[in-house]
C-alpha cells in the first residue's frame, strides 16, 4: 500500500521497457483485458480457482509434462543512502532450496533505493518474480474458456504421482484445427 517507487527513465525509453522497469519493484504481473492492463498480486498463498486431473468432476488432462527446476535461492537488492553515500544491502531467502544446499544468488543494484524498507521490498520482489517465472510443467487439456493467465489451479495426475498440487498458469496457447478435430489448450505452469 502507498508504494510510490522512485525510478529514472532515460529519454527515448520505450513504453514496454518502462513498464517492465516499474514492475521490477514488485512481484505483481501485468494482465491485459481488451484495451486495458491491470496488475495482479501473485501471492504464494492464493487459493486455487480450478481443478484439472483424473478425479471425478475435474477438467480432464490429455497430456502433461512436469519437472522440478531450481530457481534462485537468495536475492540481494543494493541501494544507496543519499545521506552518507553508503550502500544498503537487503536479502531475501528461499529456505527450502537453502536447506538442500543450493545457493544461487541474484542481485540488483538501484541507486533509487534510498532506505532499507524499499531495498528489502525489492529483494523480496526479485525472489518472488524468479519463483513465478520458472516453468514447472506443461499441461494439455480440452479448451477451458474460463482459464486466465496467472490463475492458480490444482492438478491431480495420478499417472505421475501428482496429487492435489497447486500451480500457477504462466501462459496459455489454444490449438484449433477443425479438419483434425483438435481443440485443446496448452498451459505452461509455474510455482503458485
Amino acid at each position: 500500500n502507498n508504494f510510490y517507487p522512485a525510478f529514472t527513465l532515460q529519454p527515448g525509453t520505450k513504453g514496454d521497457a518502462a513498464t517492465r522497469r516499474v514492475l521490477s519493484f514488485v512481484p505483481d504481473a501485468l494482465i491485459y483485458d481488451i484495451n486495458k492492463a491491470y496488475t495482479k498480486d501473485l501471492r504464494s498463498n492464493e487459493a486455487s480457482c480450478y481443478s484439472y486431473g483424473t478425479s471425478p468432476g475435474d477438467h480432464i488432462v490429455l497430456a502433461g509434462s512436469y519437472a522440478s527446476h531450481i530457481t534462485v535461492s537468495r536475492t540481494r537488492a543494493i541501494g544507496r543512502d543519499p545521506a552518507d553515500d553508503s550502500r544498503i544491502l537487503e536479502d531475501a531467502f528461499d529456505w527450502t532450496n537453502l536447506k538442500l544446499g543450493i545457493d544461487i544468488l541474484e542481485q540488483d543494484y538501484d541507486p533509487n533505493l534510498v532506505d532499507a524498507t524499499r531495498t528489502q521490498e525489492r529483494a523480496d520482489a526479485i525472489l518472488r518474480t524468479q519463483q513465478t517465472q520458472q516453468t514447472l510443467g506443461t499441461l494439455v487439456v480440452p479448451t477451458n474458456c474460463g482459464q486466465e493467465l496467472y490463475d492458480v489451479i490444482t492438478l491431480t495426475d495420478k499417472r505421475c504421482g501428482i496429487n492435489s498440487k497447486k500451480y500457477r498458469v504462466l501462459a496459455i496457447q489454444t490449438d484449433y484445427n477443425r479438419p483434425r478435430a483438435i481443440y485443446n489448450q496448452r498451459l505452461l505452469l509455474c510455482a503458485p
Side-chain angles (χ1 to χ4, degrees), residues 1-184:
N1 290 340
N2 299 320
F3 181 40
Y4 304 99
F7 62 96
T8 304
L9 293 177
Q10 299 300 324
T13 302
K14 296 190 181 225
D16 61 334
T19 302
R20 280 193 304 275
R21 174 88 172 107
V22 170
L23 287 174
S24 73
F25 289 90
V26 293
D28 296 18
L30 202 57
I31 306 257
Y32 293 96
D33 182 18
I34 304 173
N35 60 350
K36 295 180 182 175
Y38 302 93
T39 58
K40 180 174 181 175
D41 188 4
L42 304 180
R43 295 181 185 267
S44 60
N45 61 353
E46 187 175 334
S48 173
C49 66
Y50 204 78
S51 295
Y52 292 95
T54 54
S55 300
D58 287 346
H59 199 108
I60 191 85
V61 173
L62 300 174
S65 171
Y66 317 105
S68 292
H69 295 286
I70 302 298
T71 59
V72 299
S73 52
R74 188 166 53 107
T75 57
R76 173 174 291 153
I78 306 167
R80 181 135 329 258
D81 188 339
D84 60 4
D85 204 35
S86 63
R87 287 189 314 170
I88 303 169
L89 299 173
E90 295 295 337
D91 294 318
F93 303 97
D94 180 336
W95 293 110
T96 303
N97 283 342
L98 286 170
K99 286 178 186 174
L100 295 171
I102 301 164
D103 189 9
I104 302 170
L105 174 66
E106 176 85 20
Q107 297 186 95
D108 185 35
Y109 170 73
D110 187 345
N112 295 312
L113 299 171
V114 296
D115 62 37
T117 302
R118 296 299 176 226
T119 307
Q120 183 64 58
E121 287 170 346
R122 174 65 72 85
D124 293 339
I126 295 168
L127 182 63
R128 184 69 184 135
T129 300
Q130 290 290 328
Q131 291 169 337
T132 58
Q133 296 302 313
Q134 183 73 38
T135 303
L136 297 178
T138 304
L139 199 60
V140 178
V141 297
T143 298
N144 177 357
C145 62
Q147 190 64 72
E148 294 185 4
L149 284 177
Y150 303 113
D151 279 351
V152 174
I153 62 165
T154 302
L155 175 64
T156 300
D157 194 342
K158 295 182 180 175
R159 302 169 292 191
C160 302
I162 297 173
N163 188 22
S164 297
K165 187 169 180 181
K166 286 172 46 174
Y167 290 95
R168 187 174 296 279
V169 177
L170 185 60
I172 302 171
Q173 175 187 335
T174 302
D175 299 320
Y176 175 67
N177 185 325
R178 186 174 177 190
R180 294 180 58 204
I182 296 174
Y183 193 48
N184 297 330

